[in-house]
Amino acid sequence: MTGMTMLRVENISHRFTGKDGPLDVLDRISFDVAAGEFVCIVGPSGSGKTTLLHILAGLVTPSEGRVWLDGTPVTAPGREVGLVFQQSNLMPWRTVRDNLALPLELAGMTAEARYAQAERTLDWLGLSDFAAAFPAQLSGGMAQRVAIGRALIYDPRVLLLDEPFGALDALTREQIQLELLRLWSNSGKTAIMVTHSISEAALLADRVLVMSQRPGRLRAQVAIGLPRPRRLDMVHDPEFGALARQIRAHIEAAGGYGQAEPA
Ligand SMILES: Nc1ncnc2c1ncn2[C@@H]1O[C@H](COP(=O)(O)OP(=O)(O)OP(=O)(O)O)[C@@H](O)[C@H]1O
Ligand SMILES: [Mg+2]
């Protein structure tokens, strides 16, 4: 269910200053996301999608513009927003339980309290049997589930996902897409996910935002009115095909994918 505007992205521009001089990465990006909405962002490699998510999470301060969460400006990382990074970034020497509970440990929570919370999250993710396993013992899909769990540990209202399934094989990816949809629809969370896959975007999202090549601008928005719950076989429906073609046309009009491979 979608409701009132929860996240407002207002005229965001960003410039990195590096050794080789300034680099304009984002150019006047504005959009609103409703509470409970699932938004996917697609666009060429290097168009600033990760930077945009980091700005939404309060990890990067934009050169211009502002992000509002429920009417309050986002100025630092907070518990309302969980971020799943482009790599799972699990610490190999920590168990699944301790990887999940890391944010709680950093916040100074007692072992008992953080394990109780980790246990609940593991249960939610169907990973209870792997609490004591180390990341090397997990499949790629499980490692990404743990990374999602770590982002959910504070029960944030907004979940940001940066190409979370890019490294997974096709079948694992389909399975975890459905799991994410189930998690999202049961929790009422707001989700914003970057992906390179047009079909993934159309399958998951209520709305797909298409970005241009760098400096990333918002080139188009495609509303995905497919019924929910979504099913994998919907990708064979004519409506799905028409939406995917529409997204692809916007990407091509925006200058294509750059170096990245569309899936
Ligand atoms: N901390 C930084 N300092 C300087 N330049 C940066 C920094 N982070 C990213 N960039 C540059 O900003 C541009 C946008 O990077 P970003 O990672 O946001 O793109 P992206 O759309 O996520 O790309 P991809 O699809 O490949 O993940 C790139 O040219 C990158 O090299
Ligand atoms: Mg990126």
Side-chain angles (χ1 to χ4, degrees), residues 45-46 48-51 86 162-163 194 196:
S45 187
K49 303 180 298 297
T50 294
T51 306
Q86 209 160 343
D162 193 0
E163 294 190 55
V194 170
H196 272 112

Side-chain angles (χ1 to χ4, degrees), residues 93-110:
W93 62 90
R94 296 176 71 113
T95 62
V96 163
R97 181 191 289 120
D98 283 326
N99 265 290
L100 268 182
L102 180 64
L104 307 177
E105 191 175 334
L106 294 175
M109 198 183 267
T110 64

Side-chain angles (χ1 to χ4, degrees), residues 21-246:
L23 183 71
D24 287 313
V25 173
L26 295 169
D27 187 17
R28 288 165 291 166
I29 305 252
S30 295
F31 60 91
D32 287 350
V33 179
E37 200 179 4
F38 199 131
V39 171
C40 279
I41 301 175
V42 297
S45 187
S47 61
K49 303 180 298 297
T50 294
T51 306
L52 179 60
L53 281 197
H54 289 177
I55 291 171
L56 299 187
L59 292 168
V60 170
T61 304
S63 310
E64 277 173 56
R66 199 166 265 194
V67 177
W68 303 85
L69 182 61
D70 281 331
T72 306
V74 172
T75 53
R79 296 183 180 186
E80 296 277 272
V81 179
L83 174 62
V84 180
F85 292 88
Q86 209 160 343
Q87 294 87 25
S88 69
N89 284 335
L90 299 179
M91 295 184 174
W93 62 90
R94 296 176 71 113
T95 62
V96 163
R97 181 191 289 120
D98 283 326
N99 265 290
L100 268 182
L102 180 64
L104 307 177
E105 191 175 334
L106 294 175
M109 198 183 267
T110 64
E112 199 181 351
R114 61 180 194 258
Y115 284 162
Q117 200 152 328
E119 233 43 71
R120 275 195 296 278
T121 307
L122 284 166
D123 186 40
W124 219 22
L125 296 166
L127 283 174
S128 298
D129 293 347
F130 292 88
F134 288 91
Q137 296 168 285
L138 303 178
S139 68
M142 286 174 183
Q144 266 325 75
R145 297 221 295 273
V146 176
I148 293 172
R150 190 179 47 189
L152 291 172
I153 197 88
Y154 278 125
D155 199 18
R157 296 168 63 216
V158 181
L159 183 62
L160 307 175
L161 304 114
D162 193 0
E163 294 190 55
F165 311 141
L168 303 179
D169 65 88
L171 290 178
T172 305
R173 187 166 180 152
E174 288 185 346
Q175 188 192 352
I176 201 167
Q177 284 168 345
L178 291 184
E179 283 175 18
L180 177 66
L181 277 181
R182 189 168 41 81
L183 204 75
W184 165 78
S185 66
N186 291 343
S187 67
K189 292 189 193 306
T190 304
I192 303 178
M193 174 167 156
V194 170
T195 174
H196 272 112
S197 164
I198 292 171
S199 56
E200 182 166 271
L203 184 69
L204 298 181
D206 295 312
R207 185 158 49 112
V208 178
L209 310 184
V210 181
M211 286 180 52
S212 71
Q213 292 199 342
R214 193 182 63 229
R217 296 190 187 97
L218 190 54
R219 290 300 297 255
Q221 305 199 33
V222 178
I224 309 293
L226 299 169
R228 294 191 185 271
R230 304 269 168 87
R231 299 180 323 270
L232 292 174
D233 62 8
M234 282 178 172
V235 303
H236 305 299
D237 292 351
E239 303 91 284
F240 188 96
L243 288 164
R245 267 195 300 281
Q246 209 180 321

